[in-house]
Short mmCIF file of all heavy atoms in Angstrom, two decimals:
data_model
loop_
_atom_site.label_atom_id
_atom_site.label_comp_id
_atom_site.label_asym_id
_atom_site.label_seq_id
_atom_site.Cartn_x
_atom_site.Cartn_y
_atom_site.Cartn_z
N SER A 2 -7.40 -5.95 -18.86
CA SER A 2 -7.17 -4.94 -17.82
C SER A 2 -7.44 -3.50 -18.40
O SER A 2 -7.27 -3.28 -19.50
CB SER A 2 -5.87 -5.04 -17.32
OG SER A 2 -4.87 -4.81 -18.24
N LEU A 4 -6.28 -0.76 -16.55
CA LEU A 4 -5.04 -0.09 -16.17
C LEU A 4 -3.86 -1.12 -16.13
O LEU A 4 -4.01 -2.16 -15.54
CB LEU A 4 -5.12 0.64 -14.86
CG LEU A 4 -3.87 1.48 -14.44
CD1 LEU A 4 -3.89 2.81 -15.26
CD2 LEU A 4 -3.91 1.81 -12.96
N LYS A 5 -2.81 -0.71 -16.84
CA LYS A 5 -1.71 -1.73 -16.84
C LYS A 5 -0.38 -0.85 -16.42
O LYS A 5 0.05 -0.03 -17.29
CB LYS A 5 -1.50 -2.38 -18.16
CG LYS A 5 -0.41 -3.50 -18.13
CD LYS A 5 -0.55 -4.33 -19.41
CE LYS A 5 0.62 -5.24 -19.69
NZ LYS A 5 1.23 -5.88 -18.57
N VAL A 6 0.16 -1.05 -15.30
CA VAL A 6 1.28 -0.34 -14.83
C VAL A 6 2.47 -1.26 -14.93
O VAL A 6 2.41 -2.37 -14.39
CB VAL A 6 1.15 0.15 -13.39
CG1 VAL A 6 2.33 0.79 -12.81
CG2 VAL A 6 -0.09 1.22 -13.29
N SER A 7 3.55 -0.78 -15.50
CA SER A 7 4.78 -1.65 -15.56
C SER A 7 6.01 -0.87 -15.33
O SER A 7 6.15 0.23 -15.98
CB SER A 7 4.82 -2.57 -16.76
OG SER A 7 4.46 -1.83 -17.87
N GLY A 8 6.95 -1.48 -14.56
CA GLY A 8 8.21 -0.80 -14.36
C GLY A 8 8.17 0.62 -13.85
O GLY A 8 9.20 1.50 -14.06
N LEU A 9 7.14 1.06 -13.25
CA LEU A 9 6.83 2.38 -12.85
C LEU A 9 7.86 2.89 -11.75
O LEU A 9 7.90 2.16 -10.69
CB LEU A 9 5.43 2.68 -12.37
CG LEU A 9 5.08 4.11 -12.03
CD1 LEU A 9 5.12 5.07 -13.26
CD2 LEU A 9 3.62 4.12 -11.52
N SER A 10 8.65 3.84 -11.92
CA SER A 10 9.61 4.30 -10.96
C SER A 10 9.57 5.82 -10.74
O SER A 10 9.21 6.61 -11.60
CB SER A 10 11.05 3.92 -11.46
OG SER A 10 11.06 2.52 -11.65
N LYS A 11 9.92 6.22 -9.45
CA LYS A 11 10.16 7.62 -9.19
C LYS A 11 11.32 7.71 -8.26
O LYS A 11 11.31 7.18 -7.13
CB LYS A 11 8.91 8.25 -8.57
CG LYS A 11 9.09 9.71 -8.27
CD LYS A 11 9.13 10.53 -9.46
CE LYS A 11 9.57 12.01 -9.21
NZ LYS A 11 9.47 12.79 -10.52
N VAL A 19 9.54 5.09 -5.59
CA VAL A 19 8.76 3.96 -6.19
C VAL A 19 9.70 3.25 -7.17
O VAL A 19 10.39 3.91 -8.00
CB VAL A 19 7.58 4.46 -7.05
CG1 VAL A 19 6.83 3.38 -7.82
CG2 VAL A 19 6.59 5.13 -6.12
N ASP A 20 9.88 1.90 -7.00
CA ASP A 20 10.99 1.24 -7.61
C ASP A 20 10.50 0.17 -8.51
O ASP A 20 10.30 -1.01 -8.14
CB ASP A 20 11.92 0.63 -6.53
CG ASP A 20 13.21 0.19 -7.09
OD1 ASP A 20 13.47 0.37 -8.25
OD2 ASP A 20 13.91 -0.36 -6.18
N ALA A 21 10.25 0.53 -9.79
CA ALA A 21 9.86 -0.48 -10.82
C ALA A 21 8.67 -1.39 -10.40
O ALA A 21 8.82 -2.60 -10.47
CB ALA A 21 11.10 -1.32 -11.23
N ILE A 22 7.58 -0.74 -10.14
CA ILE A 22 6.40 -1.52 -9.72
C ILE A 22 5.43 -1.83 -10.87
O ILE A 22 5.47 -1.13 -11.89
CB ILE A 22 5.62 -0.93 -8.55
CG1 ILE A 22 4.92 0.35 -9.02
CG2 ILE A 22 6.43 -0.70 -7.33
CD1 ILE A 22 3.87 0.91 -8.07
N GLY A 23 4.78 -2.87 -10.84
CA GLY A 23 3.84 -3.23 -11.90
C GLY A 23 2.63 -3.82 -11.29
O GLY A 23 2.61 -4.61 -10.37
N PHE A 24 1.43 -3.48 -11.83
CA PHE A 24 0.12 -4.14 -11.46
C PHE A 24 -0.91 -3.80 -12.52
O PHE A 24 -0.65 -2.98 -13.35
CB PHE A 24 -0.29 -3.67 -10.08
CG PHE A 24 -0.58 -2.17 -9.93
CD1 PHE A 24 -1.86 -1.71 -10.23
CD2 PHE A 24 0.50 -1.28 -9.58
CE1 PHE A 24 -2.08 -0.32 -10.07
CE2 PHE A 24 0.14 0.10 -9.42
CZ PHE A 24 -1.04 0.59 -9.71
N GLU A 25 -2.02 -4.56 -12.36
CA GLU A 25 -3.09 -4.30 -13.37
C GLU A 25 -4.40 -4.16 -12.58
O GLU A 25 -4.54 -4.63 -11.48
CB GLU A 25 -3.23 -5.49 -14.35
CG GLU A 25 -2.03 -5.68 -15.19
CD GLU A 25 -2.19 -6.65 -16.32
OE1 GLU A 25 -3.28 -6.91 -16.69
OE2 GLU A 25 -1.12 -7.03 -16.92
N LEU A 26 -5.31 -3.50 -13.27
CA LEU A 26 -6.61 -3.24 -12.56
C LEU A 26 -7.71 -3.38 -13.70
O LEU A 26 -7.59 -2.88 -14.79
CB LEU A 26 -6.65 -1.78 -12.08
CG LEU A 26 -7.75 -1.18 -11.28
CD1 LEU A 26 -8.21 -2.15 -10.23
CD2 LEU A 26 -7.26 0.08 -10.55
N THR A 45 2.80 7.04 -6.24
CA THR A 45 2.15 6.15 -7.26
C THR A 45 1.00 6.78 -7.80
O THR A 45 0.79 6.88 -8.99
CB THR A 45 1.93 4.71 -6.72
OG1 THR A 45 3.21 4.15 -6.35
CG2 THR A 45 1.32 3.85 -7.83
N MET A 48 1.79 9.82 -9.96
CA MET A 48 2.23 9.57 -11.28
C MET A 48 1.13 9.05 -12.21
O MET A 48 1.02 9.37 -13.39
CB MET A 48 3.35 8.45 -11.18
CG MET A 48 4.65 9.04 -10.56
SD MET A 48 6.04 7.89 -10.74
CE MET A 48 5.70 6.60 -9.61
N VAL A 49 0.28 8.20 -11.73
CA VAL A 49 -0.80 7.61 -12.56
C VAL A 49 -1.81 8.78 -12.95
O VAL A 49 -2.27 8.91 -14.07
CB VAL A 49 -1.61 6.58 -11.74
CG1 VAL A 49 -2.90 6.20 -12.64
CG2 VAL A 49 -0.74 5.30 -11.51
N ALA A 55 6.98 10.62 -13.90
CA ALA A 55 7.69 9.45 -13.49
C ALA A 55 9.14 9.52 -13.94
O ALA A 55 9.51 10.29 -14.86
CB ALA A 55 7.01 8.34 -14.16
N SER A 56 9.98 8.70 -13.23
CA SER A 56 11.40 8.50 -13.69
C SER A 56 11.49 7.46 -14.73
O SER A 56 12.47 7.47 -15.52
CB SER A 56 12.25 8.22 -12.51
OG SER A 56 12.13 9.12 -11.44
N GLY A 57 10.50 6.58 -14.78
CA GLY A 57 10.56 5.59 -15.76
C GLY A 57 9.40 4.64 -15.68
O GLY A 57 8.53 4.69 -14.77
N GLY A 58 9.18 3.83 -16.75
CA GLY A 58 8.11 2.85 -16.75
C GLY A 58 6.98 3.22 -17.70
O GLY A 58 7.08 4.09 -18.49
N SER A 59 5.83 2.58 -17.42
CA SER A 59 4.71 2.73 -18.34
C SER A 59 3.43 2.64 -17.56
O SER A 59 3.32 1.85 -16.55
CB SER A 59 4.82 1.71 -19.40
OG SER A 59 3.47 1.65 -19.99
N VAL A 60 2.47 3.57 -17.82
CA VAL A 60 1.11 3.46 -17.26
C VAL A 60 0.07 3.48 -18.42
O VAL A 60 -0.07 4.61 -19.07
CB VAL A 60 0.83 4.63 -16.37
CG1 VAL A 60 -0.60 4.58 -15.78
CG2 VAL A 60 1.72 4.60 -15.04
N ARG A 61 -0.46 2.34 -18.79
CA ARG A 61 -1.44 2.32 -19.83
C ARG A 61 -2.90 2.18 -19.34
O ARG A 61 -3.13 1.37 -18.52
CB ARG A 61 -1.13 1.10 -20.73
CG ARG A 61 0.09 1.37 -21.61
CD ARG A 61 0.39 0.31 -22.59
NE ARG A 61 1.44 0.68 -23.55
CZ ARG A 61 1.37 1.34 -24.68
NH1 ARG A 61 0.10 1.61 -25.09
NH2 ARG A 61 2.41 1.73 -25.34
N PHE A 62 -3.67 3.16 -19.87
CA PHE A 62 -5.06 3.12 -19.53
C PHE A 62 -5.87 2.89 -20.82
O PHE A 62 -5.78 3.65 -21.77
CB PHE A 62 -5.41 4.55 -18.98
CG PHE A 62 -6.90 4.70 -18.70
CD1 PHE A 62 -7.52 4.04 -17.58
CD2 PHE A 62 -7.76 5.49 -19.44
CE1 PHE A 62 -8.75 4.13 -17.30
CE2 PHE A 62 -9.11 5.67 -19.21
CZ PHE A 62 -9.62 5.00 -18.09
N GLU A 66 -0.95 5.24 -23.39
CA GLU A 66 0.12 5.59 -22.50
C GLU A 66 -0.16 6.98 -21.81
O GLU A 66 -0.38 8.00 -22.44
CB GLU A 66 1.46 5.75 -23.23
CG GLU A 66 2.65 6.06 -22.34
CD GLU A 66 2.91 5.07 -21.21
OE1 GLU A 66 3.04 3.93 -21.46
OE2 GLU A 66 2.93 5.51 -20.00
N LEU A 67 -0.26 6.95 -20.47
CA LEU A 67 -0.55 8.20 -19.74
C LEU A 67 0.67 8.96 -19.29
O LEU A 67 0.57 10.18 -19.18
CB LEU A 67 -1.38 7.86 -18.50
CG LEU A 67 -2.68 7.16 -18.54
CD1 LEU A 67 -3.38 7.12 -17.19
CD2 LEU A 67 -3.62 7.85 -19.60
N LEU A 68 1.80 8.23 -19.16
CA LEU A 68 3.02 9.05 -18.81
C LEU A 68 3.34 10.13 -19.81
O LEU A 68 3.38 9.83 -20.93
CB LEU A 68 4.14 8.02 -18.56
CG LEU A 68 4.07 7.07 -17.40
CD1 LEU A 68 5.39 6.32 -17.12
CD2 LEU A 68 3.57 7.75 -16.06
N LEU A 223 7.06 -3.39 -4.71
CA LEU A 223 5.83 -4.19 -4.56
C LEU A 223 6.22 -5.53 -4.01
O LEU A 223 6.95 -6.31 -4.59
CB LEU A 223 5.14 -4.27 -5.87
CG LEU A 223 3.71 -4.46 -5.85
CD1 LEU A 223 3.01 -3.78 -7.01
CD2 LEU A 223 3.37 -5.98 -5.87
#
Side-chain angles (χ1 to χ4, degrees):
S2 62
L4 184 76
K5 187 168 170 32
V6 172
S7 42
L9 184 64
S10 299
K11 181 70 191 183
V19 175
D20 193 4
I22 67 166
F24 61 90
E25 297 190 19
L26 187 46
T45 300
M48 288 191 287
V49 174
S56 304
S59 162
V60 175
R61 285 185 173 270
F62 176 69
E66 180 60 56
L67 299 186
L68 292 190
L223 205 145

